[in-house]
Amino acid sequence: EFIFIPNRSIAGGSVTGRILSDYSVTVDVEGLEARHDRAERFLNRYVALELARARWGGASLIWERSTDAEDESPDDQSTPTIEPNAFLSGVINARLSDRHQATLFVGERRRGLACTAGTCYVVQAFKGAELRITTQF
């Protein structure tokens, strides 16, 4: 059981192809079918398309769709049925130097739990633009 979801099925895949010598295109597709405790089943879908250039960075277009009641838009919560909610965003990342990277996010990000290398954290819902500068030392 994970975050009160006792029954879930997950599938996905990613394909990357090289274009010319320094460019690549990646398509990432993921799907989740699950149920919260004693609730109706819901579906989450995720598709990302990225164009990247070696040693420079890349640009991505990301689309997510959820029928989870917890992701329902506040405008739709007064209706008797669960209205699917879609999230669209774009991300541009650039390598500024060997130790610095900039990432620009524009669009809408859904909230939820994210895990990286065994550490999980809560991602807050966000709509707008965000610029992150990362420095490694």
Side-chain angles (χ1 to χ4, degrees):
E1 186 172 319
F2 186 67
I3 59 169
F4 307 107
I5 300 176
N7 184 2
R8 66 188 177 283
S9 298
I10 303 168
S14 181
V15 175
T16 300
R18 180 175 280 184
I19 302 173
L20 303 173
S21 62
D22 289 339
Y23 291 89
S24 66
V25 172
T26 301
V27 178
D28 184 14
V29 178
E30 301 172 16
L32 165 77
E33 182 178 347
R35 177 191 332 256
H36 293 288
D37 288 334
R38 298 176 302 280
E40 289 186 32
R41 293 192 75 71
F42 63 90
L43 302 171
N44 288 344
R45 301 293 183 247
Y46 172 92
V47 177
L49 175 64
E50 178 185 29
L51 174 64
R53 178 156 192 226
R55 299 171 302 280
W56 282 26
S60 302
L61 182 62
I62 302 165
W63 174 84
E64 292 184 77
R65 183 178 187 270
S66 178
T67 61
D68 188 350
E70 294 186 10
D71 287 326
E72 189 173 29
S73 169
D75 297 337
D76 295 328
Q77 290 178 351
S78 61
T79 62
T81 60
I82 304 301
E83 297 296 325
N85 199 359
F87 306 88
L88 183 63
S89 60
V91 178
I92 297 173
N93 61 62
R95 180 176 175 234
L96 304 176
S97 71
D98 288 341
R99 296 176 47 194
H100 300 83
Q101 181 175 346
T103 304
L104 176 64
F105 172 92
V106 177
E108 189 172 9
R109 181 183 299 132
R110 62 187 286 236
R111 68 177 186 81
L113 195 62
C115 300
T116 303
T119 301
C120 297
Y121 54 95
V122 176
V123 175
Q124 298 298 321
F126 179 77
K127 188 174 189 176
E130 170 187 77
L131 177 63
R132 289 185 184 193
I133 306 293
T134 305
T135 301
Q136 298 173 336
F137 52 92

